[in-house]
Amino acid sequence: MSQYVSRLGQRRGRNAQQPRQHLLRLPGQRRPRRVAMFSVHTSPLHQPGTGDAGGMNVYIVELARQLAAQGTEVEIFTRATTGTLAPTVELAPGVLVRHIDAGPYEGLSKEELPAQLCAFTHGVMQVWAGHKPGYYDLVHSHYWLSGHVGWLASERWGVPLVHAMHTMAKVKNAALAQGDAPEPAARVIGETQIVRAADRLIANTSEEAAELERHYEAPTGRTAVVHPGVNLDRFCPADGRAAARARLGLPQDAMIPLFAGRIQPLKAPDVLLRAVALMVDEEPELRSRLVVPVVGGPSGSGLAKPEGLQKLAAKLGIADLVLFRPPVDQEQLADWYRAASVLVMPSYSESFGLVAAEAQACGTPVVAAAVGGLPVVVRDGASGYLVAGHEPAEYARALRRFAADAGLAPRLGGIAAQHAQSFGWGAAAEATADVYTAAIQERRRRLRSPHG
């Protein structure tokens, strides 16, 4: 199934953030000098947790930084969403963000972006035309919209296409949340075309690789499994739960189940609220101890009812327990993780679950749905608990364990912090660079072959 597997589990601690000095490569193999990354619908400069910005933004930023630190320059092409943006922005040494004009700056939903792909591709080609031949060694596209631009660029430039799906329409449609709209047929067709066209596909987990084969008939051996990483310098236990609660103005003795992420049916924050309502109905004394932060903004289909979660909290009679907070930067997000007793992630679909990995790196256990990559990220019964399905009663049952045993969160949190050490971006970048190298070498072999 998967020809390349990341070596994340073999590298521990902060050293996982550092580039490995001695890479095992065959003679003649080399890393690409410069990669063109495409992220059409969301910019790496956007605040995660707002609009369509989320884990993919973090993924692209951290991967690009680490690739550049290891010797591969990265240029990220994204759609300009305001006229005040500079055409190019240096995100980090060796990482350049290029803003491409494609359609009106504001007011376009993700569903309307396919109509702008021609304009975006034209802008990409204008940039490319200003360089010497061979300027980009490889294209790495993220999400299906970018995949179509990447496909054309790959053919035009004569370089390999590496594609990361991040989410898949067929997988999402098979596990829709109540009230969520199915992904359109155009996306399914588009994803199928990209899977056939890509030289390599990158999957977050072995399960995602299997889904690519099962749902999209991805050719065996073309999918590489590379676990995403965590910035272990930013997301760490630091000075502990008490200090984080003091900084955020939270009570020291509270039981705090945290939701962090985009507020949309797919992420199922309503499941947490319904679970908390069950808990206080059955044990009214818990009301004085519970604080339930929801950190994030409406996104996707959640934009149709931006105040829907607040109204649900009021309807359930727990509005006094729930703290709604807007999306925050990564430094403050780490404090929210540290302050929480437990992170709750009841998603209907997650290709990996970076939020769960980040929380664990901060020493916070996780209660999560047993979907997608979450069983890889969360060690069930050790760094947290996995829940089958999305019944609020099951989540209430898991959360009562933390309410009943004040020592449970610190015990599981210690294991969680250790477990998260295996997810370093440095190792993820090395594994990704290996995928790049293999794709380049294979394309060269095909060109040399008389039957290629």
Side-chain angles (χ1 to χ4, degrees):
M1 177 200 306
S2 304
Q3 188 174 3
Y4 309 96
V5 181
S6 73
R7 290 179 286 274
L8 295 178
Q10 299 176 13
R11 296 169 51 102
R12 304 287 178 175
R14 299 293 176 86
N15 290 333
Q17 293 290 100
Q18 302 302 321
R20 189 174 57 195
Q21 298 301 316
H22 303 290
L23 297 174
L24 300 177
R25 303 187 191 279
L26 297 175
Q29 288 186 332
R30 64 169 179 80
R31 287 170 173 261
R33 296 162 302 176
R34 187 177 294 106
V35 169
M37 277 193 187
F38 296 149
S39 179
V40 173
H41 80 280
T42 180
S43 169
L45 303 181
H46 288 167
Q47 171 70 56
T50 60
D52 289 313
M56 193 178 94
N57 296 65
V58 177
Y59 181 110
I60 293 170
V61 168
E62 296 292 350
L63 177 63
R65 282 175 171 162
Q66 284 295 323
L67 284 169
Q70 296 174 15
T72 297
E73 292 182 14
V74 179
E75 293 191 6
I76 305 169
F77 293 77
T78 191
R79 195 179 79 88
T81 54
T82 173
T84 61
L85 289 169
T88 59
V89 175
E90 185 181 54
L91 180 65
V95 181
L96 197 66
V97 177
R98 293 189 178 275
H99 294 111
I100 304 298
D101 288 330
Y105 291 129
E106 299 176 356
L108 276 186
S109 69
K110 188 166 57 176
E111 290 71 27
E112 296 173 298
L113 287 179
Q116 304 301 329
L117 291 184
C118 286
F120 189 90
T121 303
H122 174 71
V124 170
M125 292 303 162
Q126 281 187 312
V127 172
W128 172 72
H131 297 302
K132 295 180 180 179
Y135 187 77
Y136 300 109
D137 293 323
L138 180 136
V139 170
H140 187 172
S141 54
H142 298 269
Y143 193 69
W144 78 278
L145 294 171
S146 303
H148 275 269
V149 181
W151 180 12
L152 192 149
S154 166
E155 292 295 317
R156 183 70 181 86
W157 302 347
V159 299
L161 170 64
V162 174
H163 181 71
M165 299 286 271
H166 291 281
T167 62
M168 291 176 267
K170 288 186 177 181
V171 174
K172 291 180 72 173
N173 286 346
L176 279 178
Q178 184 176 1
D180 213 355
E183 294 296 319
R187 177 178 173 182
V188 175
I189 295 168
E191 289 177 341
T192 302
Q193 292 171 328
I194 296 162
V195 167
R196 291 173 182 168
D199 294 85
R200 286 291 187 278
L201 299 162
I202 290 182
N204 290 327
T205 63
S206 295
E207 180 178 346
E208 185 183 347
E211 289 170 340
L212 280 164
E213 292 188 5
R214 182 166 64 251
H215 294 300
Y216 295 89
E217 300 180 355
T220 302
R222 197 180 289 178
T223 303
V225 175
V226 180
H227 297 326
V230 174
N231 185 325
L232 296 172
D233 291 321
R234 176 179 295 124
F235 297 104
C236 58
D239 50 1
R241 178 168 289 122
R245 289 187 175 188
R247 284 191 290 270
L248 294 170
L250 298 171
Q252 292 293 336
D253 58 349
M255 155 69 177
I256 303 181
L258 165 71
F259 176 89
R262 288 176 287 160
I263 298 174
Q264 59 182 141
L266 176 72
K267 302 295 184 182
D270 62 294
V271 173
L272 169 59
L273 267 56
R274 295 179 194 278
V276 169
L278 288 175
M279 291 172 67
V280 297
D281 282 347
E282 295 179 12
E283 299 180 59
E285 65 275 13
L286 286 177
R287 181 176 287 275
S288 63
R289 297 172 48 204
L290 276 168
V291 176
V292 187
V294 175
V295 181
S299 173
S301 52
L303 290 169
K305 298 179 180 178
E307 297 178 356
L309 207 59
Q310 288 92 331
K311 291 179 179 178
L312 177 62
K315 181 180 177 181
L316 293 171
I318 58 169
D320 58 319
L321 305 182
V322 184
L323 296 178
F324 288 98
R325 294 293 183 267
V328 296
D329 62 30
Q330 297 279 284
E331 293 294 342
Q332 194 171 1
L333 180 60
D335 254 358
W336 279 106
Y337 290 144
R338 295 182 192 112
S341 305
V342 56
L343 174 82
V344 185
M345 202 169 181
S347 305
Y348 283 85
S349 176
E350 287 287 348
S351 60
F352 186 65
L354 277 177
V355 170
E358 290 169 352
Q360 289 177 108
C362 291
T364 299
V366 176
V367 170
V371 300
L374 286 168
V376 174
V377 180
V378 180
R379 286 180 56 198
D380 189 24
S383 68
Y385 298 107
L386 295 171
V387 178
H390 300 85
E391 286 296 324
E394 295 302 316
Y395 286 85
R397 183 174 293 112
L399 292 175
R400 283 193 198 97
R401 297 181 181 182
F402 294 93
D405 180 359
L408 182 61
R411 289 198 302 274
L412 297 191
I415 298 171
Q418 278 189 316
H419 175 55
Q421 294 300 306
S422 62
F423 300 114
W425 275 114
E430 288 178 3
T432 301
D434 287 345
V435 177
Y436 292 167
T437 299
I440 292 170
Q441 291 298 112
E442 183 174 308
R443 179 168 283 245
R444 287 175 177 169
R445 285 195 296 270
R446 286 203 310 267
L447 292 175
R448 288 195 297 263
S449 170
H451 305 292

